[in-house]
């Protein structure tokens, strides 16, 4: 199962249903010979629903770029990294685990927007603006990868025959 960091201490219906699905997959693992394995990660760059296509379109349209909050941060990974995590979790999983990709440090969305403006050859404040629209209901400033009572064990694909 592919889950999301929104499943950690959920504040929205999406997060709550993802967390319920994680728990359900773990419970199925206890009464089936099928191995049920979950992956949990943050945002996948340039995927459907990613801010990258939205920002790209807003830049093409001349702006403004909309960001919900100046301090909002998210974890990001590339599409190949997300695919690799899913494949490795399937190969490594014994069943019942939740695999979490080490995504490093979270990135401020406003910094991503500023970089996209610069890389487009435009100047922030002159050619294009950033407008802060406010947090949506249930939206967090910082996403979490683990709930307070969850613990992790490090894994490496080198430890497994993948």
């Amino acid at each position: 199962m592919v889950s999301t960091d929104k499943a950690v201490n959920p504040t929205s219906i999406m997060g709550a249903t993802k967390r319920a699905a994680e728990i359900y997959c773990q419970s199925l693992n206890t009464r089936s010979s099928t191995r049920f394995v979950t992956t949990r990660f943050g945002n996948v760059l340039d995927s459907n629903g990613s801010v990258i296509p939205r920002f790209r379109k807003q830049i093409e349209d001349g702006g403004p770029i909309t960001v919900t909050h100046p301090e909002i941060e998210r974890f990001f990974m590339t599409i190949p990294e997300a695919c690799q995590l899913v494949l490795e979790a399937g190969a490594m999983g014994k069943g019942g685990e939740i695999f979490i990709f080490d995504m490093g440090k979270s990135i401020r969305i406003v910094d991503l927007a500023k970089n996209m403006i610069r890389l487009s050859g435009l100047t922030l404040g002159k050619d294009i603006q950033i407008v802060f629209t406010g947090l949506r209901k249930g939206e967090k400033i910082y996403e979490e990868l683990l709930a307070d009572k969850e613990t992790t064990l490090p894994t490496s694909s080198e430890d497994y025959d993948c």
Side-chain angles (χ1 to χ4, degrees):
M1 183 189 108
V2 175
S3 190
T4 173
D5 51 9
K6 290 175 178 43
V8 179
N9 300 320
T11 58
S12 67
I13 294 296
M14 178 187 179
T17 56
K18 284 288 192 173
R19 181 63 185 135
E22 288 179 356
I23 294 166
Y24 183 66
C25 281
Q26 288 178 309
S27 72
L28 286 174
N29 193 68
T30 63
R31 53 186 138 122
S32 172
S33 60
T34 301
R35 293 180 298 132
F36 290 88
V37 176
T38 299
T39 59
R40 181 193 293 164
F41 44 78
N43 298 276
V44 179
L45 288 169
D46 219 16
S47 65
N48 287 338
S50 169
V51 297
I52 301 288
R54 176 180 295 159
F55 287 173
R56 189 180 299 128
K57 174 86 168 98
Q58 290 174 338
I59 289 169
E60 288 171 4
D61 292 345
I65 292 182
T66 56
V67 177
T68 57
H69 190 280
E71 298 301 317
I72 201 160
E73 293 183 7
R74 292 294 180 262
F75 291 100
F76 288 98
M77 66 173 48
T78 64
I79 291 171
E81 288 171 327
C83 293
Q84 180 180 346
L85 174 62
V86 171
L87 293 172
E88 287 187 2
M92 290 189 271
K94 307 256 186 284
E97 305 95 337
I98 298 176
F99 285 88
I100 302 169
F101 191 77
D102 180 2
M103 290 175 279
K105 295 184 71 162
S106 58
I107 298 170
R108 286 185 348 146
I109 300 296
V110 71
D111 291 340
L112 178 63
K114 289 176 182 178
N115 285 334
M116 287 186 68
I117 292 168
R118 184 180 50 78
L119 291 170
S120 297
L122 302 172
T123 303
L124 176 62
K126 179 181 174 197
D127 302 315
I128 195 162
Q129 306 297 319
I130 294 177
V131 173
F132 297 104
T133 59
L135 293 175
R136 295 178 294 255
K137 185 176 181 175
E139 188 174 24
K140 299 177 185 180
I141 296 282
Y142 308 100
E143 292 289 359
E144 306 159 279
L145 295 176
L146 291 171
D148 293 337
K149 295 183 180 179
E150 289 182 310
T151 58
T152 60
L153 297 172
T155 62
S156 168
S157 59
E158 298 160 5
D159 296 338
Y160 298 89
D161 296 327
C162 296

